[in-house]
Each structure stands twice: as C-alpha cells, then as structure tokens.
Amino acid sequence: MKELLRKLVQAETTTANGELAAAKVISDELGRSGITARIDSWDQTRANVIAQVKSPAEGRQAGLQPGRKAAILFACHLDVVGPGEADWKYPPFGGIESDGRIYGRGSADMKGGIAAIVTATRQLVEAGTRLQGDIIFLAAAGEETDSCGAKRFIRDCNWLPGLAGVVIPEPTDFKVVTAHRGMLWLEVTTKGKAAHGSTPQLGVNAISSMRCILDELENYKIPFEPHPAPIERSRASGLGVPKSWSIGSSIGAGLGECSMSINTIAGGKALNVVPDKCSIGIDIRTLPSQNHQDIISDLEKIFGKLKSKNPQFDAKVSVIRGVEPLETDNRCDFVKDFCAAVGTTKTKAVGFTTDGPYFASLGAPVVIFGPGKPELCHKPDEYIEIRDVEKAVEHYKNIILKFLA
Ligand SMILES: [Zn+2]
C-alpha cells in the first residue's frame, strides 16, 4: 500500500504532465490480483482508469436478479495541482516517507484515498470474498481543472450496472460529507479601442470600462438563501446501525454563504498604447438553492446599465468553469447504512468542491469520505499519515462488505 502511494505521488500528475503514468501504476497494481483495469487515454497524456470487479453471478440480463445487489462506484481523481512557488521540506514529487507520513503533492488530495481503495479491493479479491454486487473503481483525469475525466466517464457510462451509491475517497479526515458548495468561475472582458497613449481621446480605454464594472461589483451582493445546517442523529454513538434518525443539533456550520472574489485581472500591452482589452476572473461559490444562470444574468444587467450611461462601454461574461453544488439526502438508506459501516452517526457539509455533482447525475446518492486532512490540500509540505491510509483500507473493506456481501 505504501509503495503504491509513493509511486502515485512520483507519477507527478499535474495538468501539464497528464495522468497516464499514474493510471498505469494503478492498472499494474490491480493486475497483480487478477483484476483487469481499462485505461481510457486521450490527448497523449490524459487518462482515466476504470475497473469493474464483477460479482460471480455472471450472464445476468439488464436489471437485478433476485439476491443481487446494486453496485458501489468508488470515484477518485488522478490529477494534482502544481507544487506552487514556496520551498518544500521534501521534494514535492519524491513520495518521501518520514515520521510515519508520506510527503508529496497529492499525498492527501487524493492519492492516499486511491491507494486505500485499490488495496481494499485487492485484499477482498485475494481473500476470495464472495460479493453479491459489483465494485466499480474510477480514477479520473482533470478534477482540479475542468472535470474532463468525470465528464468523459459519465458520457460513456451505458455499461454501468445499477448503483446503490457513489463513494468519493477525497480527504475528509474520515468525516462523512454529503454536501458541498458549487463553483462558478467567470471571466469578464471589456473591449475598447486602441490609440496612441498620447491621444487617449481617440481611443476607448478598456481598463476604464473595467473600473466601472469593479465599482459596481463592489456593491453587488449575490442573492442567496442561507443553507440549513446538516441533519444528524440526535446523539453520537459508537458503532452499530442507528435505530432512529432525527433532526438534531447541527455539527459545525452548514454550507455557509455564497461567496464571490475577483482573483485575476489583466489588461494593457504597453505604456504608450490605450488598452483595447481588459479581463478579470471571478470565483463564485454557490449554494444548492442558487441557479448559476441567474448570477450571469445579474452581471449582464449591470453591463446593460453601464452601456445605457456610456454607449462606448462594451463588456461580456463567459463561463470558465461551472460545478453544481452537491446535496445528498442525509435520510436516504445509503447514507444511513454508510454511516453505520464507518461507525458514525454524523454527516457534514464542506466548503470545497469535488466531481461529486457529475456522479450525482447518475441518480445515485453520493458520499465523500476518505483519509487525510483537507486543510493540507494544495499547500506546501502536503502529507498523509500512513496509519490513516491503513485505517481507510479497513473502512473501505467494511463499506464494500456492508453493501455488497
Ligand atoms: Zn481532490
């Protein structure tokens, strides 16, 4: 397990490098237990890796036969963000082991989770465990950028058997996460007219137009209904199936508020040229009650107002990336049984975003649960505790046995 994790970190799956090397590591690892994995590769280096551990009842038709159980999909991502500018204690792609930890970019987000589910699956197969439903494993490309791998998997998913649920082994420090905010990344561009810097009256300054937009956005609040705190069972208990579920005290915050932050700006080419283009990047995090299109329409209304004041004003907004919020019903059987399998009664909402909403479109409940501390993600000196990955192996085996044995 440790060696697998180190190899996955060393595969250096940044967007520039692609995921193919890591997909091969996983395919080889599963192959050692006789599990065939399919690598779906495109653009030379991009790759998803997919495996289906079929339960023995072969030759079944569409639909479930009596006694058969719906499958579980474990949906991971292979890619990582870059190491950043800061100095690291250990090389970011060394996969160095120290103090019971594996250090490296992606160790927590989310190669620890991948190593755990691959190891759990291998151990069950090697033990000859008879399952009544299929384990489906996916490690997808591009979660950190455009979700290209998840979209591709969903597009070609006719072969998938019926799913009881989807588990995303992202680092949640073993909290059962059932809700997260959505993400809407927008680019706003103003167009002007270039002129010599000494005769600005002959041009239209795109930076001045952008300043008008920035002034407007300073006072603009995206309307939203506060998200209710998550539902949990009234009293935390140790193990076993909860007898009853009720709306109890909240655990931490719900999804909090919708947020908006202007995080990039670019405009102008030379000191003596009136700029004909300026653009900003806006990062908006949304709640389940919000509609992304409504936010875009609000911005377009602001542009309309500015144009009515100044006919030379010209701006447009485009979507760089949109991921819907995730909200799985905490009262569904899958979530209850999942919580029982991992020995908790609590679910949680988080502020970060995953590929979860794409898998929710399959119509199955989605739960995020895995080893590693979320606060270490995307930071220098990212690491994961080896004993947490070992603990995750046991949890994933218990989850598989709970739903498929
Ligand atoms: Zn992640």
Side-chain angles (χ1 to χ4, degrees), residues 71-95:
I72 302 281
L73 167 62
F74 288 88
C76 313
H77 69 83
L78 287 170
D79 60 315
V80 296
V81 295
E85 300 296 317
D87 284 338
W88 285 58
K89 197 156 126 194
Y90 302 104
F93 297 105

Side-chain angles (χ1 to χ4, degrees), residues 77 109-110 143-144 170-171 378:
H77 69 83
D109 183 13
M110 61 172 285
E143 190 266 353
E144 304 285 4
E170 289 268 16
H378 300 199

Side-chain angles (χ1 to χ4, degrees), residues 2-14 17 80-83 88-98 101-107 111 381-384 386:
K2 217 160 65 181
E3 265 320 292
L4 169 61
L5 174 52
R6 297 186 61 215
K7 278 191 222 159
L8 288 172
V9 172
Q10 287 160 0
E12 198 173 336
T13 50
T14 55
N17 284 346
V80 296
V81 295
W88 285 58
K89 197 156 126 194
Y90 302 104
F93 297 105
I96 304 290
E97 180 183 350
S98 173
R101 299 165 170 175
I102 299 287
Y103 281 84
R105 172 59 80 230
S107 53
K111 289 169 171 175
D381 297 325
E382 179 180 342
Y383 69 85
I384 194 161
I386 293 165

Side-chain angles (χ1 to χ4, degrees), residues 105-181:
R105 172 59 80 230
S107 53
D109 183 13
M110 61 172 285
K111 289 169 171 175
I114 296 177
I117 180 58
V118 166
T119 303
T121 305
R122 284 190 61 204
Q123 287 182 3
L124 289 173
V125 167
E126 288 191 2
T129 314
R130 285 184 72 84
L131 299 175
Q132 306 298 315
D134 300 353
I135 307 169
I136 316 282
F137 168 84
L138 162 71
E143 190 266 353
E144 304 285 4
T145 49
D146 56 3
S147 300
C148 55
K151 287 181 194 163
R152 195 176 163 98
F153 176 81
I154 301 289
R155 192 193 66 199
D156 303 330
C157 72
N158 293 340
W159 59 275
L160 266 185
L163 295 176
V166 181
V167 181
I168 301 190
E170 289 268 16
T172 64
D173 204 14
F174 300 113
K175 303 286 187 302
V176 177
V177 171
T178 53
H180 65 60
R181 293 192 294 177

